[in-house]
Amino acid sequence: MTAVRKATMNDDVSRGIGRRTLLTLSTAGLAALATACSTRLGGAATSEPVPAPAVAVGAGDSASPGGAAPLCVLVPETGEGPYYVPDAQIRSHIVEDRKGVPLRLDLTVVSTAHGCRPMSNVAVDVWQADALGRYSADGKTFLRGTQVTDAAGKLTFRTIVPGWYAHVAPHVHFKVRPDAHTQSSSQLFLPEELLLSVFAREPYSRREAPAHPNTRDDRFEAKGRSLTLRPVVDGAGYRASFVVGIA
């Protein structure tokens, strides 16, 4: 297992890697994309509901101030940070023994160079902190996994809402690997109102939560809004869908 070191202020924006342009699809553009790509977003989950903002399933809002949101919005990569470990287990359920509010994450990978056609057999890695802001290390594997997209470009991860650490907005890292020579890394965020609701519950409440878990992070202010999920309450937790386009 690769050694994991402590995060620094610039870690999440530091690593240069081979890249394809990542795009997200605005909520207003999902219907148009469904026609263009013939894709559907959906899912299911678990028990006691958690109070949450009334938001739609889909990618982060990217609406322009005076009108409809564009279909595709260019989003800069945020880098993989210091906690990436290669060769994660191929699995959908990545929680292991970690406690927290369930989060089902449905991802769809499409090719923007081919009319937003779904891309099959694309590897996607995810990794994140647990409810107390800790990443797995030293042979532990919680909250890490890899999935490969199906014929519709889809895959699902079952995880938990990430906790906060240091100065950074809570996030789920993801890396898209369409082939052996190309990879792109970014992060997904959650609405601040949802985070504050979750952080009032065990085990998150064992620590005093920051008053503004997202907006205290300058990097979220600069790049995170177009990478923010729009979850819906789903049983005991939440479900969110996100479409990643590769140019």
Side-chain angles (χ1 to χ4, degrees), residues 113-169:
H114 297 89
C116 289
R117 185 178 66 196
M119 297 183 67
S120 61
N121 297 315
V122 174
V124 179
D125 309 313
V126 299
W127 65 103
Q128 66 173 82
D130 68 7
L132 300 180
R134 302 171 300 198
Y135 283 82
S136 56
D138 301 323
K140 296 181 179 180
T141 59
F142 62 81
L143 300 175
R144 298 180 182 277
T146 300
Q147 283 280 285
V148 177
T149 57
D150 64 15
K154 295 179 179 296
L155 52 81
T156 294
F157 287 101
R158 293 182 181 273
T159 183
I160 60 173
V161 174
W164 72 95
Y165 63 92
H167 61 285
V168 298

Side-chain angles (χ1 to χ4, degrees), residues 92-116:
S92 178
H93 293 259
I94 65 173
V95 177
E96 295 187 10
D97 62 347
R98 299 296 101 171
K99 304 299 183 183
V101 173
L103 173 63
R104 172 175 170 148
L105 183 58
D106 297 318
L107 301 180
T108 303
V109 180
V110 300
S111 171
T112 61
H114 297 89
C116 289

Side-chain angles (χ1 to χ4, degrees), residues 168-188:
V168 298
H171 56 277
V172 177
H173 290 275
F174 70 96
K175 176 182 283 192
V176 181
R177 296 183 285 118
D179 56 56
H181 308 291
T182 311
Q183 57 187 19
S184 296
S185 299
S186 195
Q187 301 171 15
L188 297 173

Side-chain angles (χ1 to χ4, degrees), residues 36-75:
C37 302
S38 300
T39 62
R40 295 174 59 196
L41 305 177
T46 48
S47 51
E48 176 195 353
V50 179
V55 290
V57 175
D61 250 343
S62 310
S64 56
L71 177 63
C72 291
V73 180
L74 283 169
V75 174

